[in-house]
Amino acid sequence: MRNSAVGQFICPPVVVCGPGGQGDPRRKGAGVPGGARESELVALLGNVAAKIRTGDDLESAARAALEMVCEATGWRVGHLYVWDEADGRFVPSDVWAGAVEEFADLREVTATTRFAPGTGIIGHAAKTGRPVWLHDVTCDPVFLRARQGVDLGVGAALAFPVTAADGVVAVLEFFSHEVIPQDAQLMRVTASLGHHLGLVADRWRARQEVEAARTRLEQIIGTSVEAFVSIDADGHIIDWNTAAERMFGLTREQALGRVMHETIVPARYRGADEAGRVRFLATGRSQVLGRRLELAALRADGSEFPVELVMWATREGDARTFNAFIHDITDRRRAEHALREAYEHEQTTVARLKELDRAKDDFVAAVSHELRTPLTVIIGYLEILGDDDLPLGQRDRMLSTMTHNAMRLRKLIEDLLAVNTVTGGSLAVDPVPLAVAEVLDEALRETAAEIQCAGHRVRVHVDPAVPRIRADRGLLVGAVGALLSNAAKYSANDTPITVRASVADTDVSIAVIDHGAGIAEDELPRVFDRFARARSTRDEAIQGVGLGLTIAKAVAEAHGGTITATSTPGEGSVFTLVLPASGPGPEAGPGEPADDRRAAAGESGRGLPPGPSGS
């Protein structure tokens, strides 16, 4: 159905209908030749299109179009109906143009009249998408507002739809007091105007959607748990969300306008940051944009902390902006560090367990050997001693050997019991005042056989200022004896062993120095561990199960002291036992001149019978 058919079929066309007809001089364009009339309408279309092109929204553009059409064509008044999505109908607006005061009744009726698509002149224009011309509304049922029993003072009406991308969004209507025959040229122009206004509506809706999207984005950024920072091409901060305020300790007002790299970038990175931005603006190339980076950031108080960030660049017209989401990864770094430490600790524990397992195997083998060897000697000699014809001298030597091996077994058992006691934390200390020289004498006597067998010369040096100490005599003698035994085992035969006792502040130091093979650097930290034995002991079949130094360390710690070891492979080792002193004066007692003590403490091989080398 053609848009104008309703009015034309009900009311036949009237060529002259009194005032306002084609011969009415008050109607603009009347009497104008066809070509000139068409030129006027084309000019109208161009002027309206140019005017509404600058409109900010549909209503302002529609108002301009209403005014210009009324002015150019002679229609007395114009009005805008808009689509109400919630109501599902076209509703009147406050936009009127032309001689509005002449149509007071029309305005009053229009204010309460709404149109569904297909209803009335507005609904027909919207449904068909084309202009509708009612040349005489008084006899046209399409003009519903004329049925309300009020003389609206309207003769003719024209309506055309505003068609946007998603359909008709508004309808413009025009009214005249006179009956006006249909003008096909004007209807074509108004149809074009409807499309131009539709473009305005599309632009306005697009702007609304952009603004809504921008508002949503600003809300998302503003409430994000990640810090958001945006800068312009000169590096000045132009956006700073709440999370950034918390992270960097600067309010939005304090941050905006500042140079970004001088605000949150550590000094050592500022040159590279600025150079990268300048290079991107010049070449469009960047090594950091779009990549996830882990860097250090700077708080307002000058403290640094690790962050993870992603940066990207945007362009709005000719303006460049750089944006970044920043995440504080301090907690993650701590967790990673804790995991690394736990892993390293686990690896150390595993290695230690393997080492202990090897030590256990070595201990079992060493103990088995240390038990089996003397027992074999004893059992063998017992069988021989059953022979009554055995010479007396040979019998005595065998008994002496058996006694030595029996003592060796007893020492091994004592060491095993002792290490069990000290590692169980039940080492009992009975401190009494002791002279250091006496402790050294007794320790030398207990290890005399072992030292003499290897032909070592023991040199003892006791500083005259060494005070008496409070210590458990048996435990301390055992600890010093363990150090002497260790020196004898790991030194080549006929090499000297030196024992030095000295004082430093309130501590007494006893050092045992050998000139043996020394201890490898990687083995030195474990030299006091249970069953720890150097690789050389296995290679050279040196006797022992690796408990003497463990016991010595436990004795030192039980007395509130320490024991340390230093060594140079190939040159020897120094084991130093340090104990707190308790006596106020030097070790020399009344009636014992200091000179005599120095002579007694000289290089005398104290307490040792002459060895094979005559020492």
Side-chain angles (χ1 to χ4, degrees), residues 112 114 157 230 276 340:
T112 59
R114 302 187 175 198
S230 183
R340 281 195 300 269

Side-chain angles (χ1 to χ4, degrees), residues 503-508 579-582:
V503 62
D505 294 331
T506 59
D507 294 333
V508 172
L579 299 174
S582 60

Side-chain angles (χ1 to χ4, degrees), residues 245-302:
E245 292 182 331
R246 292 193 300 267
M247 183 178 294
F248 295 102
L250 285 172
T251 65
R252 178 181 175 85
E253 290 72 20
Q254 291 173 325
L256 294 182
R258 288 192 179 191
V259 177
M260 188 269 290
H261 68 260
E262 294 178 356
T263 305
I264 63 174
V265 178
R268 61 186 179 278
Y269 299 134
R270 291 173 186 173
D273 178 79
E274 186 174 10
R277 176 170 49 81
V278 172
R279 181 173 59 253
F280 175 78
L281 292 173
T283 66
R285 294 191 298 272
S286 172
Q287 297 177 349
V288 298
L289 294 181
R291 295 176 54 194
R292 191 177 296 273
L293 305 173
E294 291 188 8
L295 300 169
L298 187 68
R299 294 189 181 94
D301 61 7

Side-chain angles (χ1 to χ4, degrees), residues 228-539:
F228 176 80
V229 178
S230 183
I231 62 173
D232 60 19
D234 295 324
H236 294 93
I237 297 172
I238 58 176
D239 203 353
W240 184 269
N241 71 350
T242 303
E245 292 182 331
R246 292 193 300 267
M247 183 178 294
F248 295 102
L250 285 172
T251 65
R252 178 181 175 85
E253 290 72 20
Q254 291 173 325
L256 294 182
R258 288 192 179 191
V259 177
M260 188 269 290
H261 68 260
E262 294 178 356
T263 305
I264 63 174
V265 178
R268 61 186 179 278
Y269 299 134
R270 291 173 186 173
D273 178 79
E274 186 174 10
R277 176 170 49 81
V278 172
R279 181 173 59 253
F280 175 78
L281 292 173
T283 66
R285 294 191 298 272
S286 172
Q287 297 177 349
V288 298
L289 294 181
R291 295 176 54 194
R292 191 177 296 273
L293 305 173
E294 291 188 8
L295 300 169
L298 187 68
R299 294 189 181 94
D301 61 7
S303 61
E304 292 188 14
F305 63 104
V307 297
E308 181 181 72
L309 62 87
V310 176
M311 297 181 61
W312 71 97
T314 57
R315 181 195 291 274
E316 294 185 10
D318 294 331
R320 282 280 194 182
T321 60
F322 298 88
N323 314 284
F325 274 113
I326 307 171
H327 176 61
D328 186 343
I329 58 173
T330 301
D331 291 340
R332 191 177 81 191
R333 286 284 180 85
R334 288 173 181 164
E336 290 172 351
H337 180 70
L339 285 174
R340 281 195 300 269
E341 285 190 337
Y343 176 75
E344 291 170 359
H345 178 71
E346 181 182 1
Q347 293 298 103
T348 302
T349 301
V350 170
R352 182 62 180 149
L353 289 173
K354 291 180 178 179
E355 188 176 311
L356 289 175
D357 191 54
R358 287 193 299 269
K360 179 202 69 175
D361 293 340
D362 292 343
F363 167 71
V364 171
V367 169
S368 298
H369 177 268
E370 292 293 315
L371 289 172
R372 187 181 297 111
T373 300
L375 283 174
T376 300
V377 172
I378 293 172
I379 292 171
Y381 280 5
L382 284 173
E383 292 177 354
I384 297 174
L385 287 174
D387 186 358
D388 295 335
D389 297 332
L390 190 67
L392 182 60
Q394 188 175 355
R395 184 184 296 272
D396 290 340
R397 287 193 298 273
M398 286 183 177
L399 287 172
S400 177
T401 301
M402 290 170 64
T403 300
H404 171 75
N405 281 280
M407 294 301 292
R408 180 177 167 187
L409 287 173
R410 188 181 76 171
K411 180 65 168 62
L412 175 61
I413 293 171
E414 288 175 349
D415 284 350
L416 291 173
L417 292 175
V419 78
N420 183 62
T421 299
V422 299
T423 55
S426 57
L427 184 62
V429 178
D430 183 17
V432 296
L434 295 174
V436 173
E438 295 174 2
V439 174
L440 299 183
D441 280 338
E442 190 169 344
L444 284 167
R445 284 195 298 271
E446 290 192 358
T447 56
E450 185 176 3
I451 293 173
Q452 184 180 9
C453 185
H456 296 297
R457 181 193 300 266
V458 179
R459 299 170 180 171
V460 180
H461 301 273
V462 179
D463 191 323
V466 172
R468 296 173 69 83
I469 61 174
R470 287 184 58 82
D472 187 302
R473 186 183 194 92
L475 292 178
L476 187 54
V477 169
V480 176
L483 298 182
L484 288 168
S485 176
N486 185 75
K489 287 178 183 177
Y490 294 99
S491 299
N493 291 346
D494 301 322
T495 57
I497 297 173
T498 303
V499 181
R500 296 183 185 276
S502 58
V503 62
D505 294 331
T506 59
D507 294 333
V508 172
S509 172
I510 300 173
V512 177
I513 307 165
D514 67 58
H515 298 278
I519 305 169
E521 183 177 357
D522 61 325
E523 294 180 334
L524 198 58
R526 300 187 298 275
V527 73
F528 294 103
D529 293 352
R530 281 187 301 169
F531 315 128
R533 304 186 75 211
R535 287 186 293 270
S536 60
T537 61
R538 296 186 290 270
D539 299 338

